[in-house]
Amino acid sequence: MLGILRRKPEDKLIEILGKDKVLTSLVERKLYSYDATPIPIERAVPMAVVFPENHHDVEKLVEVCYQEDIAIFPRGAGSGLTGGAVPTVERGVVVSFERMNRFRVDLDNAVAYAEPGVVTAQLQEYVESLGLFYPPDPSSFKYSTIGGNIAENAGGPRCLKYGVTREYVLGLTAVIKEGKTVKTGGPVIKDVAGYDITRLLVGSEGTLGLITEAVLKLIPKPRARLTALAIFHNLEDVGHAVTKIFTSGVFPSALEFMDKNAIRAVEEFKPVGLPKDAEAVLLIEVDGTPQSVQEDIKLVKELLEGMKVKVETASTEEEAQKLWTARKNLGPALGNLKTGKINEDIVVPRSTLHQVIPKVREIAQKYQLMVAVFGHIGDGNLHVNFLYDKANREEEERAEQAVDEVFEMTLAFGGSITGEHGVGLTKRKFLKWQMGDVGYELLKSIKSVFDPKNLFNPGKMLEV
Amino acid sequence: MLGILRRKPEDKLIEILGKDKVLTSLVERKLYSYDATPIPIERAVPMAVVFPENHHDVEKLVEVCYQEDIAIFPRGAGSGLTGGAVPTVERGVVVSFERMNRFRVDLDNAVAYAEPGVVTAQLQEYVESLGLFYPPDPSSFKYSTIGGNIAENAGGPRCLKYGVTREYVLGLTAVIKEGKTVKTGGPVIKDVAGYDITRLLVGSEGTLGLITEAVLKLIPKPRARLTALAIFHNLEDVGHAVTKIFTSGVFPSALEFMDKNAIRAVEEFKPVGLPKDAEAVLLIEVDGTPQSVQEDIKLVKELLEGMKVKVETASTEEEAQKLWTARKNLGPALGNLKTGKINEDIVVPRSTLHQVIPKVREIAQKYQLMVAVFGHIGDGNLHVNFLYDKANREEEERAEQAVDEVFEMTLAFGGSITGEHGVGLTKRKFLKWQMGDVGYELLKSIKSVFDPKNLFNPGKMLEV
């Protein structure tokens, strides 16, 4: 049968899904080959971009891809920082979930059913209007999606008290190898039947299958919130303060740390009156009832002042907002100092903070870089930001080398290479160090169970 | 080499571990072939009972068992209700963790490192003396162990607000196939590196490997607690009340439900003054600060009285204790009515409660059995108790048939066959129904990754 023109695989996708759900022009394909990763990574232009509109579309497209050996690169909002949504091979399609963005709330069971393309902030806003609460708050929450948040097991400041995305996923519908559908969990809090496939899919970075629906746990929305600022002249005191707060019975809803360089950057960008001579500040938020937040902040103030740490309480909503604005301005404030920034999200036991920060500064000095550290100190989750000049490739390389050393240091302190951003492409080589040989082999075997052809987001997380 | 006497495999265990760590007498082996499962199950007398004293012992014993094809049956306190700790083949050893019962607390990171044989209540008592809190509270907590709790992903009344055991396991050390060691997580709250092996081991019922150490998350201990009793004359109101409470911003630390038969049983056993004419009662506990618990209970009272539901507040610690005693006496109270009891732990969406309870009563009527229902209604986790005469085998069989129908009903309502007790031997056949073919195949494949020879707790959870 020589001479017969073989149909292109993307034509099969068009035939099965319909023309309006498949983009094939070069411009469009190129547009979908990027995400928010700040450093250079390997990247391929996919053969097509596909827009499924429902679970059945996803089943069909995975079936075709599995028949035709086409790689599948799922994409939420593309706001990931480790290359998770970036295509790595040309024989691949980007699956964008932007049209699967419906959700509904079941008030009587306090759950939401959400498609992967739902924007997290939209869901949060709606459930809060009902008196309920969906806590996971990655800093991208205004545009990132539930699907992306689940794939990365996203977290944020509130996760100290409320837990990460994983804790809010009660059940999933997903499409795995050959287009098979698996359904786990349901609208119930407890379910111990069988191995925990739900949490295996959470944080799997799109490498095990495509999520088409999630059942999300909602909790009562706290009725009040209060913020205070603690000012430290000594890094060791920060850890002691956190221990004092924890053992006093106060469970802060956020404990945000900024080191002196982060403070200075914010004050140079848009001054809010942070103390520029401080070694570090801690933004302490408590939530609860109108009276309990007053009780809690009063207790925190007493405890910390007993350690000679100054505490300023935001007595109005406006003052609290100002403090949070400082925290939220950190990104642009650092961007204001240099054109390039690598924001890493290491996790270390919080008791080691006073050793980790000087070590990070040593590394920065070695590579002649500016560095600022901030993060969620209750979790030990630190954002180490190396700043460099984007036009200067040599300086950029130094920044990349500095990051490598930061990861080595993190593992030496018994920490993790990622608390929020995932492994993706950029941290692949470090995962092996962290997991050890036996653990890494387990990951690869689990991948084969769900995806024997290695077509789901190949090249991400694992070197397979 | 005919004629040479082959060494018995248990001798190899003695040689490697030492004589004092291996029991081989028939009486002792028989003693370790039981757990707390109330119904007849298949059961074998193991070839030996082994008592490892540290991680290295566990590595060695698994290595030998893997070489010699000896099944491994891990055992905590043997308080499980689904046959999880019961040996199923004679070529097997029971591994009792009673000598691995050390733990230590790292106050600065608010974590505990615990060996599997630590009794949960002992750990809880100690961390509470430090101002910290380990919430998981299965009703067996006074004697059950951390290892058993992790294997079963145990829960209890507090898990509505605080989550199940899974949410408190930050890291694990485990021994899997061939005696290999895998280490996951660490003393940090956030860690998204790689697939979630930690939560795959949690709830795996000893079928994937043996846990030798857990890193447990501790949280601040709430400073106050308050209890109220709501009295219902209509089952539909119960669900509505829970929704009203949730959307008001009150997050109860327990919401315990008792139906009319449970109320009567308690009042006949040791009267505490529960209303015998009520259709159901709800024990509502809130925790927080001294003032917030008052605010919360006041709000709950207003909301429920607005629905014409009577609410009694325990104004003293003594009154609160009395209410909780009623709840805790349910087991013996029901045991007082009949000699036999099957206590199943189904989970249903809580909005279906008013349909599920009448359905359960219909099933009881069909099989001419007494039934009482109580449980953690916030979770939808209901304990359906069929009572029968133990000496009457025919009645016992009817109870078993009734349980089968209850599981069918549960799945029809979109629930789960187990919220706390696990699958073990007794719910094996129902797991397939719940998971579906694709899900069930995934479970089997995951089992093979960790345990290709099917030596870890064979016959439990899965039919392999």
Side-chain angles (χ1 to χ4, degrees):
Chain A
M1 306 286 278
L2 284 171
I4 288 183
L5 197 68
R6 267 192 65 112
R7 205 167 51 152
K8 287 190 291 179
E10 55 266 46
D11 292 341
K12 198 158 173 189
L13 285 168
I14 292 172
E15 184 192 306
I16 282 179
L17 295 173
K19 211 173 161 181
D20 58 321
K21 296 180 192 170
V22 185
L23 293 181
T24 52
S25 84
L26 184 61
V27 172
E28 291 157 331
R29 290 185 287 128
K30 274 195 170 169
L31 272 173
Y32 279 87
S33 70
Y34 287 85
D35 70 0
T37 308
I39 57 170
I41 45 175
E42 56 174 290
R43 164 183 294 125
V45 177
M47 57 168 60
V49 186
V50 185
F51 300 85
E53 295 181 359
N54 51 52
H55 176 81
H56 190 53
D57 281 351
V58 178
E59 274 184 323
K60 286 187 297 182
L61 84 87
V62 173
E63 199 186 338
V64 169
C65 289
Y66 239 80
Q67 282 162 2
E68 303 279 337
D69 290 315
I70 301 169
I72 301 159
F73 299 98
R75 183 184 179 88
S79 55
L81 297 168
T82 54
V86 164
T88 50
V89 294
E90 283 177 13
R91 195 176 174 83
V93 292
V94 166
V95 179
S96 172
F97 283 102
E98 53 206 90
R99 295 187 195 166
M100 285 179 71
N101 61 356
R102 284 151 293 203
F103 71 92
R104 65 188 168 86
V105 170
D106 170 357
L107 201 63
D108 289 328
N109 292 304
V111 295
Y113 294 81
E115 287 183 332
V118 170
V119 171
T120 304
Q122 280 174 13
L123 180 119
Q124 285 174 326
E125 214 170 285
Y126 181 72
V127 304
E128 289 184 31
S129 76
L130 302 173
L132 294 172
F133 189 37
Y134 177 72
D137 58 343
S139 63
S140 58
F141 77 104
K142 283 197 181 154
Y143 39 90
S144 65
T145 61
I146 292 292
N149 288 183
I150 292 174
E152 304 291 324
N153 189 12
R158 284 179 199 153
C159 297
L160 168 63
K161 179 169 182 177
Y162 291 104
V164 288
T165 298
R166 178 182 64 223
E167 262 88 74
Y168 293 86
V169 182
L170 298 177
L172 288 173
T173 307
V175 178
I176 60 169
K177 59 184 172 192
E178 299 150 21
K180 285 178 180 168
T181 292
V182 60
K183 227 171 130 59
T184 69
V188 292
I189 308 289
K190 283 182 187 156
D191 180 0
V192 296
Y195 305 132
D196 198 341
I197 306 287
T198 308
R199 276 92 204 169
L200 202 53
L201 291 168
V202 175
S204 64
E205 304 191 8
T207 64
L208 299 182
L210 302 183
I211 291 162
T212 59
E213 187 178 71
V215 190
L216 302 172
K217 176 168 94 165
L218 307 175
I219 62 173
K221 186 185 158 202
R223 309 205 284 288
R225 208 166 260 163
L226 208 58
T227 305
L229 182 79
I231 298 154
F232 293 86
H233 294 286
N234 179 336
L235 280 175
E236 277 191 51
D237 284 346
V238 180
H240 295 155
V242 176
T243 303
K244 272 218 171 21
I245 293 170
F246 255 60
T247 52
S248 75
V250 175
F251 202 163
S253 48
L255 272 180
E256 292 298 292
F257 170 87
M258 293 185 220
D259 83 341
K260 60 183 174 195
N261 294 347
I263 296 170
R264 279 175 208 156
V266 165
E267 285 299 308
E268 278 170 35
F269 181 65
K270 273 190 190 163
V272 293
L274 294 181
K276 281 202 265 188
D277 61 332
E279 188 62 40
V281 295
L282 215 51
L283 207 57
I284 303 165
E285 188 196 76
V286 295
D287 65 6
T289 70
Q291 289 183 32
S292 75
V293 296
Q294 299 286 350
E295 283 177 280
D296 279 348
I297 285 287
K298 189 168 162 256
L299 185 54
V300 167
K301 207 170 146 78
E302 278 169 22
L303 290 169
L304 269 56
E305 286 177 351
M307 297 173 63
K308 309 227 179 301
V309 171
K310 203 176 146 198
V311 178
E312 291 171 6
T313 311
S315 49
T316 63
E317 183 53 31
E318 211 183 357
E319 277 179 40
Q321 277 310 322
K322 210 166 96 177
L323 291 175
W324 278 101
T325 305
R327 169 66 181 86
K328 282 172 188 157
N329 279 346
L330 268 167
L334 295 172
N336 195 38
L337 297 176
K338 285 268 191 178
T339 52
K341 181 183 75 173
I342 305 187
N343 172 10
E344 275 314 336
D345 74 321
I346 59 166
V347 196
V348 291
R350 65 176 178 247
S351 63
T352 64
L353 178 83
H354 64 284
Q355 295 161 282
V356 167
I357 305 247
K359 201 100 188 90
V360 166
R361 288 185 188 147
E362 258 174 50
I363 295 170
Q365 204 163 25
K366 177 174 165 189
Y367 292 100
Q368 300 161 57
L369 294 162
M370 285 182 70
V371 70
V373 183
F374 61 91
H376 322 302
I377 187 57
D379 306 341
N381 189 193
L382 294 178
H383 292 285
V384 173
N385 285 255
F386 289 112
L387 307 179
Y388 59 91
D389 180 359
K390 249 191 168 159
N392 183 344
R393 180 63 197 141
E394 185 270 329
E395 196 177 15
E396 186 173 60
E397 271 169 19
R398 274 190 275 128
E400 285 167 24
Q401 286 165 345
V403 166
D404 278 17
E405 283 203 28
V406 165
F407 287 137
E408 280 175 53
M409 173 208 73
T410 302
L411 295 177
F413 276 111
S416 173
I417 55 171
T418 175
E420 298 177 337
H421 300 172
V423 176
L425 287 171
T426 63
K427 302 188 188 181
R428 245 178 9 174
K429 68 174 169 183
F430 304 105
L431 183 62
K432 227 185 261 184
W433 302 357
Q434 181 170 334
M435 295 297 300
D437 287 344
V438 178
Y440 198 76
E441 282 307 312
L442 283 179
L443 299 188
K444 288 206 288 187
S445 304
I446 290 168
K447 165 81 171 167
S448 310
V449 166
F450 286 78
D451 180 23
K453 285 188 160 185
N454 190 26
L455 293 175
F456 287 109
N457 221 1
K460 310 301 170 65
M461 186 193 290
L462 299 170
E463 284 172 337
V464 284
Chain B
M1 303 292 277
L2 283 170
I4 289 183
L5 197 69
R6 269 192 65 112
R7 205 168 50 153
K8 285 190 291 178
E10 54 267 47
D11 292 339
K12 198 158 173 189
L13 286 168
I14 292 172
E15 184 192 306
I16 283 179
L17 295 173
K19 211 175 160 181
D20 59 320
K21 295 181 193 170
V22 185
L23 293 181
T24 53
S25 83
L26 183 62
V27 172
E28 290 157 331
R29 290 185 285 128
K30 274 196 169 170
L31 272 173
Y32 280 86
S33 71
Y34 287 84
D35 71 359
T37 308
I39 57 169
I41 46 174
E42 56 175 291
R43 164 185 293 126
V45 177
M47 58 169 58
V49 186
V50 185
F51 300 86
E53 295 181 0
N54 52 52
H55 176 80
H56 190 53
D57 281 352
V58 177
E59 273 183 324
K60 286 188 297 183
L61 85 86
V62 172
E63 200 186 338
V64 170
C65 289
Y66 240 80
Q67 281 163 2
E68 303 279 338
D69 291 316
I70 300 169
I72 300 159
F73 298 99
R75 182 183 179 88
S79 55
L81 297 169
T82 54
V86 164
T88 50
V89 294
E90 284 177 12
R91 196 176 175 86
V93 292
V94 166
V95 179
S96 172
F97 284 101
E98 54 206 89
R99 294 186 196 167
M100 287 181 70
N101 61 356
R102 285 151 292 204
F103 71 91
R104 66 188 168 86
V105 170
D106 171 356
L107 201 62
D108 288 329
N109 292 305
V111 295
Y113 293 81
E115 287 183 332
V118 170
V119 171
T120 305
Q122 281 174 14
L123 181 121
Q124 285 174 327
E125 214 170 284
Y126 181 71
V127 304
E128 288 184 31
S129 76
L130 303 172
L132 294 172
F133 189 37
Y134 177 72
D137 58 342
S139 63
S140 59
F141 76 104
K142 284 196 179 155
Y143 39 91
S144 65
T145 62
I146 292 293
N149 287 181
I150 292 174
E152 303 291 324
N153 189 13
R158 285 177 196 153
C159 298
L160 168 63
K161 179 169 181 177
Y162 290 104
V164 288
T165 299
R166 178 180 66 224
E167 261 88 76
Y168 293 87
V169 182
L170 298 177
L172 287 173
T173 307
V175 179
I176 60 168
K177 60 183 171 190
E178 299 150 22
K180 285 179 180 168
T181 292
V182 61
K183 228 171 128 59
T184 69
V188 292
I189 307 289
K190 281 182 187 157
D191 180 0
V192 296
Y195 305 132
D196 198 341
I197 306 288
T198 309
R199 276 92 205 169
L200 202 51
L201 291 169
V202 175
S204 64
E205 304 191 9
T207 63
L208 299 182
L210 302 183
I211 291 162
T212 60
E213 188 178 71
V215 189
L216 302 173
K217 176 168 95 165
L218 307 175
I219 61 172
K221 187 184 157 201
R223 309 205 284 289
R225 208 165 263 162
L226 207 58
T227 304
L229 182 78
I231 297 153
F232 294 86
H233 293 285
N234 179 335
L235 281 174
E236 277 191 50
D237 284 346
V238 179
H240 295 154
V242 175
T243 302
K244 272 218 166 44
I245 293 169
F246 255 61
T247 51
S248 75
V250 174
F251 201 164
S253 48
L255 272 180
E256 293 298 292
F257 169 87
M258 293 185 219
D259 82 341
K260 61 183 174 194
N261 293 347
I263 296 169
R264 279 176 209 157
V266 164
E267 286 298 310
E268 277 170 33
F269 181 66
K270 273 189 190 167
V272 293
L274 294 182
K276 282 203 265 187
D277 61 332
E279 188 62 40
V281 296
L282 215 52
L283 207 56
I284 304 166
E285 188 196 74
V286 296
D287 65 6
T289 71
Q291 289 183 31
S292 75
V293 296
Q294 299 286 349
E295 283 176 282
D296 279 348
I297 286 288
K298 189 168 163 259
L299 186 53
V300 167
K301 208 170 146 75
E302 278 169 21
L303 290 170
L304 268 56
E305 288 178 349
M307 295 173 64
K308 310 229 177 300
V309 172
K310 204 177 147 198
V311 178
E312 291 171 5
T313 311
S315 48
T316 63
E317 184 52 32
E318 210 185 356
E319 277 179 40
Q321 277 310 323
K322 211 166 99 179
L323 291 175
W324 278 102
T325 304
R327 169 65 181 85
K328 282 173 187 156
N329 279 346
L330 267 167
L334 295 172
N336 195 39
L337 297 176
K338 285 270 191 176
T339 52
K341 180 182 76 173
I342 305 185
N343 171 8
E344 276 312 337
D345 75 319
I346 59 167
V347 196
V348 291
R350 65 175 178 249
S351 63
T352 64
L353 178 82
H354 64 284
Q355 295 162 282
V356 167
I357 305 247
K359 200 99 187 91
V360 167
R361 289 185 188 148
E362 255 174 51
I363 294 169
Q365 202 164 25
K366 178 174 164 189
Y367 292 99
Q368 300 161 55
L369 296 163
M370 285 181 72
V371 71
V373 184
F374 60 91
H376 322 302
I377 187 58
D379 307 341
N381 188 194
L382 294 178
H383 293 286
V384 175
N385 285 255
F386 288 110
L387 307 179
Y388 60 92
D389 180 0
K390 249 193 168 157
N392 183 346
R393 179 65 196 139
E394 184 272 330
E395 197 177 13
E396 186 173 60
E397 272 169 19
R398 273 189 274 128
E400 287 168 24
Q401 286 165 345
V403 166
D404 279 17
E405 281 203 28
V406 165
F407 287 139
E408 280 175 53
M409 172 207 74
T410 302
L411 296 176
F413 275 110
S416 173
I417 55 170
T418 174
E420 299 177 336
H421 300 172
V423 176
L425 286 172
T426 62
K427 302 188 189 180
R428 246 176 10 174
K429 68 175 170 181
F430 305 104
L431 183 63
K432 227 184 264 186
W433 301 358
Q434 182 170 335
M435 297 296 299
D437 288 344
V438 178
Y440 197 77
E441 282 307 312
L442 284 179
L443 299 187
K444 288 205 289 186
S445 305
I446 290 169
K447 165 81 171 167
S448 310
V449 166
F450 286 79
D451 180 24
K453 284 187 162 188
N454 190 25
L455 292 175
F456 287 109
N457 221 1
K460 309 302 168 67
M461 186 194 288
L462 299 169
E463 284 172 337
V464 284

